Amino acid sequence: MRELSLHILDIIQNSIAAQASLIKLSIDEEIEEDILGIKISDDGCGMSEEMKEKVLDPFVTSRKTRKVGLGLSLFKAIAEACEGDLELDSKLDQGTEVVAQFKYSHIDRPPLGDMVGTIITLLALNPNLDLIYIHSVDGQEFSFNTRLIRDELGGLAINNQEILSWIDNYLTEGLKELRG
Amino acid sequence: MKSLEELKKLREKAQKELQARKTENKAKVTVGMGTCGIAAGARALLKELMAEINRRNLDVIITQTGCIGMCEKEPLIDVELPGEDRITYGNLKAEDIVKIVVEHIVNGNIVEDLAIARADKE
């Protein structure tokens, strides 16, 4: 995939398939330290030890385990190609955490890409999902929390077109400000 | 910076509009959001789809599915009009979306050259 934001969209689809109701996404751009960190954690159904071993191997995954598939191993491969790594932690019935690190300046590191598009896609198709998104660049932080949005909506669906377009602008402005 | 306060105003406006809309017999579009769909461009397709639906002020349910085993035909979408067969469109480009929205969703005619499968209505 050409953008890390597409990998993020893909990994969060695993969380959705695992019936997560809350997903926490944090992106840390530590440009001075030359590190890009991406962490995705959910409160979904989690995985057994056995499954955990398997999901990172693209050749072991079978059709029965389709809800995991190739996505994680692709993400791991790209992290490792960028002098980084990917760690997976999961507990059955508690949730899963995926932490990926990249060398920020690595020539093979894909750009983050359209993070706003990824968040809007998730909310448009999964209006009941709660998402906390924290993005930091060298210590400056931007955060977005669907629970705070929902408090203002009084039962109106978050994927209402007016609301989504507001969120789109909110995220675009927030991320732009983050980069000064 | 935008404030959450603005959402309250939007909410009132949106709720008024919702009351004027019907609640059943809506067209439904399903977007393939598996790894294969995402890698093939499903996110951009969805963006185009939502923009076109908003532009025409249509009331359509948009939902997602995972990999359906036709990875080589991604990105794909299903269109299901009330009481009609479910039509799967594949190998889509963003510019195909306008055609599908206008021809199929608005006018009720299947776009034969983009359709790859038909499932009988449930």
Side-chain angles (χ1 to χ4, degrees):
Chain A
M1 295 189 215
R2 281 185 293 259
E3 299 175 10
L4 291 177
S5 61
L6 289 173
H7 283 280
I8 293 170
L9 176 59
D10 187 31
I11 302 302
I12 294 180
Q13 295 294 338
N14 291 343
S15 300
I16 292 167
Q19 277 105 37
S21 57
L22 174 66
I23 289 159
K24 293 179 189 158
L25 162 66
S26 54
I27 299 178
D28 289 305
E29 298 185 47
E30 295 173 37
I31 300 167
E32 284 170 20
E33 310 280 327
D34 206 17
I35 295 172
L36 171 67
I38 297 173
K39 185 165 107 177
I40 298 159
S41 55
D42 70 51
D43 62 352
C45 65
M47 289 175 238
S48 62
E49 285 296 316
E50 185 199 10
M51 189 66 184
K52 228 164 68 182
E53 299 296 311
K54 285 185 182 174
V55 289
L56 292 174
D57 182 344
F59 300 109
V60 173
T61 316
S62 76
R63 264 298 186 225
K64 277 181 216 156
T65 60
R66 190 158 75 176
K67 71 177 174 185
V68 187
L70 274 174
L72 266 173
S73 46
L74 280 174
F75 196 33
K76 184 178 159 84
I78 190 73
E80 286 174 351
C82 301
E83 291 175 46
D85 57 18
L86 181 140
E87 279 179 33
L88 177 74
D89 193 17
S90 185
K91 287 206 176 63
L92 207 56
D93 299 327
Q94 288 180 29
T96 300
E97 183 176 272
V98 175
V99 183
Q101 275 209 344
F102 301 79
K103 182 175 177 184
Y104 196 93
S105 64
H106 199 285
I107 189 131
D108 290 327
R109 182 181 68 78
L112 257 178
D114 185 7
M115 274 313 297
V116 177
T118 282
I119 305 285
I120 294 294
T121 298
L122 286 166
L123 298 180
L125 299 174
N126 306 278
N128 296 321
L129 189 72
D130 269 322
L131 180 74
I132 298 175
Y133 167 39
I134 298 170
H135 194 137
S136 73
V137 178
D138 280 335
Q140 286 268 62
E141 195 177 281
F142 168 74
S143 73
F144 170 77
N145 184 343
T146 53
R147 290 183 167 171
L148 299 179
I149 305 281
R150 237 181 274 283
D151 284 347
E152 306 293 330
L153 294 184
L156 183 69
I158 208 163
N159 62 353
N160 176 281
Q161 72 172 70
E162 300 268 357
I163 304 303
L164 276 185
S165 119
W166 184 90
I167 294 175
D168 192 312
N169 287 326
Y170 180 81
L171 293 171
T172 304
E173 275 181 26
L175 292 178
K176 200 169 141 194
E177 215 163 89
L178 198 57
R179 302 192 185 281
Chain B
M1 198 65 203
K2 299 177 85 66
S3 81
L4 292 177
E5 282 295 306
E6 295 169 8
L7 282 173
K8 280 208 181 96
K9 281 183 211 146
L10 279 179
R11 175 175 102 187
E12 283 158 26
K13 191 176 157 214
Q15 272 165 342
K16 260 180 214 149
E17 270 178 34
L18 275 184
Q19 279 165 1
R21 289 188 165 179
K22 58 182 184 180
T23 52
E24 48 192 27
N25 288 332
K26 292 185 193 181
K28 187 170 117 182
V29 180
T30 308
V31 184
M33 275 285 163
T35 302
C36 45
I38 293 170
R43 188 183 68 186
L45 210 66
L46 173 71
K47 190 175 182 182
E48 189 62 31
L49 177 68
M50 292 196 299
E52 195 57 35
I53 284 171
N54 291 347
R55 222 173 281 143
R56 295 174 188 276
N57 201 20
L58 302 174
D59 192 10
V60 175
I61 298 170
I62 306 178
T63 176
Q64 70 171 33
T65 186
C67 171
I68 57 166
M70 291 199 276
C71 311
E72 76 284 7
K73 296 205 164 61
E74 297 278 358
L76 37 87
I77 65 171
D78 281 356
V79 175
E80 203 174 353
L81 298 183
E84 304 279 335
D85 292 346
R86 174 161 51 87
I87 305 299
T88 303
Y89 293 104
N91 293 319
L92 295 175
K93 295 182 184 63
E95 57 264 32
D96 297 329
I97 289 294
V98 181
K99 208 170 170 187
I100 294 171
V101 170
V102 175
E103 287 295 315
H104 194 162
I105 298 177
V106 177
N107 292 327
N109 303 317
I110 297 166
V111 186
E112 298 288 351
D113 56 331
L114 296 172
I116 57 165
R118 173 197 287 258
D120 290 344
K121 59 176 177 274
E122 283 153 17

